[in-house]
Every structure is written in C-alpha cells, then in structure tokens.
Amino acid sequence: MRSFGYRRGVLQAQGITLEALARRFGTPLYVYDFDAVGAAYAAYARAFAGREHRICFAVKANGNLALLRRLAGWGSGFDVVSGGELARVRRAGGAAGGGVFSGVGKTAAEMDQALAAGILLFQVESEPELELLAERAARRRRRARFGLRVNPDVAAATHPHIATGERGHKFGVAMEAAERLYLRSRRGAMGRWLEAEAIGFHIGSQILDPAPFALAARRVGELGAALERQGVKLRTFDAGGGLGIAYERGQRPPSLAAYARALGQGWAGARERRLLLEPGRSLVAAAGALLARVLYVKEQGKQTYVILDAGANDLLRPSLYGAYHEIAPLRRRAGRRRAVEVVGPLCETGDAFAHARPLPPLQAGDGVALLDAGAYGFALSSNYNARPRAAEVALEGGLTRLIRRREGTQDLWNGEVV
Ligand code: LLP
C-alpha cells in the first residue's frame, strides 16, 4: 500500500504535507514512511507465520542506516552483497548472525570479514567461489555455513536487466553441477571447513506472476530432496527476493498469501526447513517518494518539457530500465491534463522520468513527487554532473526526522588529491 495520498488537495503521508517537507529540507528529497515499512514487514511475517522462516531484507534496495536500524529492531535479518553492505548492517546495529551473504563476486577479504562477523550463511554461486570459501574458512579456523544459489533455468517476465534465473545468466550454479558440488563439499579439507546449510534461488526482481516462483521452488526443491536421499541434510531453503509491486495502474503483484503458496509448492521436505526470504522492493518501494521542484516549463517543437531539479543521478530507474514512476503534484492542480516530457537537468537525452505523461498544468516552482521510489532510488543515485546527492527524511508516528543530510560541495571531492 502506498503511503502517499491527497488530503484536501495536498499530497501527504502520516498527515504531514510533502510541500512542507520540500520547503524545510529542500529538493531533491527522499521521503520514507517508516510506519509503512513496518506494516509491510509485519504483513510478510504474518503471511509466513505458518512455517519457520527468516526475513532478510535485501540491503541493496535501500541501505540507509536508520532504516536498517528499524528493520533490525523488528527482527529482520539482512541479505548483503558486499563487505560495504555488511558494514552498514553492523553500523546500524544489525546482527551478522541473521544475515546472508549473496553475490557472484565475493572477494577473499569480504569472505574474511563475513566469517569474522559470524554470518549466518554464504550463498555461493560457483565452484571456484566454494574453493576460496573453504580456503578462507580453513585459514581463519572457522567453519563456514553455505548454500548454493541454484540457477533453476526459469524465465520470469521482467526487465531483462533484472531477470537472473535463466541458464544464460551469470548467476547461480547450474542444476546439474549443484549436486556434485554439495557432495564435493563434504569431502577432504572442504568437508572440514564447510557446512552445507542451505539451498536456494533468486530468479529476478519486480516479478508479478507467482508461477515462476512456484516453478523455481519446485525445481530447486526436487534437487534438495535428491540431496537429502544422499545424506546431505539442508536446514534452510532460501527463496531469494523478487516479489514485484504495482508501479502502474493495472499491475497486480500476487498477494503475500499467493506468494507464500507458490513458494510452498514442490518439495514436501521444504516445509520442515527454515524458509529464508530476501525481499527488498516489496518492503520499501511504496513507502518512499522522491520530491522535486519544477525549474522550467519549456515548449519546444511539439513537446512540452517539464524540467525538474532532480535527475537520473537521483533516481535512475526510468533511464536505466524505462521504469514507470507515478508523478504526483504536491498540490493538486486544476486544469486539463496534457501529455508532457518530464526530464531532469543532466546533460543526457536519457535523463527523463516520463514520456508523454498526462499531467495537469505545472509551473516553475511547483513541487512534484515521484512515487514508489523507496527501493533502488537513493541506492542507485550518484554524483554524476557533480550533483550532490539528495537528503533523506523518515516519517514515523507523525514525526519527521532527517536521516541523511544533503551532500554539500565538499562532499563532491571528498578523498580526491589535487
Ligand atoms: N536477493 C538477491 C540475491 C538479489 O539479487 C536481489 C535483488 C534481492 C534478493 C532483492 O530483490 P527484490 O525483492 O528487491 O526484488 N535495481 C533494480 C533491481 C535489482 C535487483 C537486484 N537483486 C531495480 O531498480 O529495479
């Protein structure tokens, strides 16, 4: 459920008007409704209450320390893909023991860091990675719990950049290879330092159909059952993340109940295992908005360009994936809607938030909100064109808190040497 709605013609969340926030903190500004994140987390916990499970928030979606701190407080674990993300979790007070370390390119130093922190689980994606993990574990004299991320060769209808579960993708270990690797991990030095804990998959992101989840769960579950017959007992079934949200009218993500049913299909033995979930987007996207102001309205040829003070460096998803984000004026505007181009200030034609978007008349100075920006919004932002990154604000119980100050000019060359 989106946090942002109109009341008496002004866009607000928790009774706080976004125009007031834009004035107080400036734009571009990320605003997050932490209460809505809490509700989304609680809904996950309820949907999976019937079985042992652990929710590991995918930090890559939004790594703000205050957000991670709240999630840890609600009992969330974390899915991290770098030493930096692990450090963030720990800085925010999250326990590494409730975390999964995923990713195709873990370095030896990152493995050492995660071993020292006592990570719950390494999600391993290749044979050489498994070898390196065994070596690092031996060197540190600490057993490493691992799972293989299996590539179930399942196609999911999503943007090609974020589909990950097909044979042709760089992710995971092929079904055929996985069995041999589990058996290998039990022999010799590997057997001494590695402990097979899990089997899992992650087939992509922004998936709106439960069927590919069910198919992946079934395929990977069958492999789990085959391994069990050979004496490899896996305590955890990691179903990754990927549940999509409705960015656009007409998009219908499965309910959490339907998602839980899809993941429960296949392997009967999976029900006896701890289910591990790695949601990112579905926990935080709808709870966040990027506020911006109209700098200029420019008529050129047949087009009307609404030029904002936020650009693709602040919110990359439309440029990178052609992603749709609803654009809502901070004050409701009367007048006929017209199809306009909503663009940013960057020196790239690709710096556009929307093409031919029907919007009410907007003028310079008007504020707008780009909705559903709580996931992969700030996280993908950059200093391109030497633009300081936006500030972030959290709304909680009707109170407002700055959770990241706006970058200043000095931040632009922090660490550089003349
Ligand atoms: N687990 C693993 C191993 C992942 O790679 C991901 C996301 C997740 C969990 C969380 O997936 P989610 O629940 O958020 O769908 N930048 C793109 C999304 C990239 C997703 C990468 N992996 C976007 O803005 O749409």
Side-chain angles (χ1 to χ4, degrees):
M1 258 258 298
R2 272 202 193 131
S3 305
F4 306 93
Y6 288 98
R7 204 181 280 170
R8 282 189 227 97
V10 290
L11 197 61
Q12 56 83 44
Q14 295 186 12
I16 299 165
T17 67
L18 301 189
E19 178 61 42
L21 294 178
R23 289 226 170 120
R24 176 164 163 209
F25 297 101
T27 52
L29 179 72
Y30 273 96
V31 178
Y32 309 114
D33 177 348
F34 276 12
D35 295 349
V37 180
Y41 182 85
Y44 253 94
R46 268 197 311 278
F48 290 91
R51 58 185 295 185
E52 189 190 346
H53 73 277
R54 173 147 204 102
I55 298 165
C56 290
F57 173 65
V59 174
K60 63 170 83 66
N62 189 328
N64 182 284
L65 293 182
L67 175 71
L68 300 183
R69 163 87 57 142
R70 277 293 172 272
L71 282 158
W74 296 323
S76 183
F78 297 94
D79 168 49
V80 300
V81 292
S82 67
E85 285 191 353
L86 178 57
R88 275 191 169 277
V89 166
R90 304 198 76 204
R91 179 74 181 76
V100 193
F101 192 175
S102 309
V104 288
K106 305 175 193 76
T107 65
E110 287 175 323
M111 287 178 180
D112 288 353
Q113 182 190 345
L115 279 168
I119 198 103
L120 170 68
L121 179 66
F122 288 87
Q123 205 51 290
V124 171
E125 303 215 21
S126 67
E127 184 157 18
E129 185 192 334
L130 194 67
E131 288 165 358
L132 180 61
L133 182 61
E135 185 199 307
R136 300 320 298 181
R139 194 168 296 199
R140 301 193 70 91
R141 313 200 75 72
R142 242 179 210 247
R143 273 169 78 81
R145 285 174 298 270
F146 81 95
L148 291 186
R149 171 169 170 184
V150 176
N151 182 326
D153 196 21
V154 168
T158 185
H159 191 279
H161 289 186
I162 54 175
T164 56
E166 290 168 64
R167 195 178 290 274
H169 296 145
K170 71 177 175 182
F171 295 100
V173 173
M175 298 278 288
E176 316 80 75
E179 189 168 322
R180 182 179 60 75
L181 280 189
Y182 276 109
L183 296 176
R184 183 179 167 203
S185 78
R186 302 208 300 174
R187 292 194 299 266
M190 265 200 186
R192 183 141 174 240
W193 296 108
L194 295 182
E195 189 179 323
E197 157 78 28
I199 188 162
F201 61 87
H202 171 77
I203 53 174
S205 194
Q206 182 54 12
I207 298 170
L208 295 170
D209 174 8
F213 289 116
L215 184 57
R218 198 156 63 234
R219 286 200 179 148
V220 176
E222 275 162 19
L223 184 58
L227 285 162
E228 193 168 54
R229 287 192 292 276
Q230 299 178 70
V232 184
K233 192 99 178 124
L234 302 165
R235 287 205 305 125
T236 301
F237 191 58
D238 180 352
L243 181 62
I245 67 145
Y247 285 98
E248 273 180 85
R249 213 166 280 170
Q251 284 183 328
R252 275 193 186 281
S255 66
L256 283 169
Y259 178 55
R261 268 198 306 281
L263 294 182
Q265 282 181 15
W267 186 20
R271 289 203 68 81
E272 296 153 26
R273 269 124 192 117
R274 167 172 50 194
L275 179 67
L276 211 138
L277 300 161
E278 302 166 1
R281 188 189 318 268
S282 49
L283 285 179
V284 295
L290 172 62
L291 310 191
R293 271 197 202 285
V294 177
L295 293 175
Y296 303 101
V297 178
K298 169 173 169 175
E299 308 284 345
Q300 175 132 295
K302 290 199 173 91
Q303 310 277 38
T304 301
Y305 292 95
V306 175
I307 303 173
L308 302 183
D309 66 355
N313 70 299
D314 298 299
L315 177 64
L316 186 59
R317 303 192 70 258
S319 301
L320 192 57
Y321 313 114
Y324 181 98
H325 284 265
E326 189 174 327
I327 299 172
L330 298 188
R331 289 175 203 280
R332 218 176 220 149
R333 288 267 168 227
R336 201 168 62 82
R337 288 172 175 258
R338 274 207 310 151
V340 296
E341 307 294 298
V342 183
V343 302
L346 301 190
C347 299
E348 304 244 358
T349 302
D351 176 28
F353 293 118
H355 296 292
R357 180 71 61 88
L359 286 178
L362 288 168
Q363 302 168 9
D366 284 354
V368 296
L370 293 127
L371 299 183
D372 301 313
Y376 309 108
F378 188 92
L380 279 168
S381 69
S382 77
N383 291 123
Y384 187 45
N385 279 199
R387 291 166 50 81
R389 283 181 302 168
E392 293 177 290
V393 160
L395 310 180
E396 223 169 353
L399 298 177
T400 305
R401 196 153 61 92
L402 182 69
I403 55 171
R404 183 185 175 105
R405 65 164 174 78
R406 181 176 306 286
E407 283 182 347
T409 312
Q410 297 283 330
D411 297 309
L412 293 176
W413 49 76
N414 195 12
E416 286 181 45
V417 178
V418 179

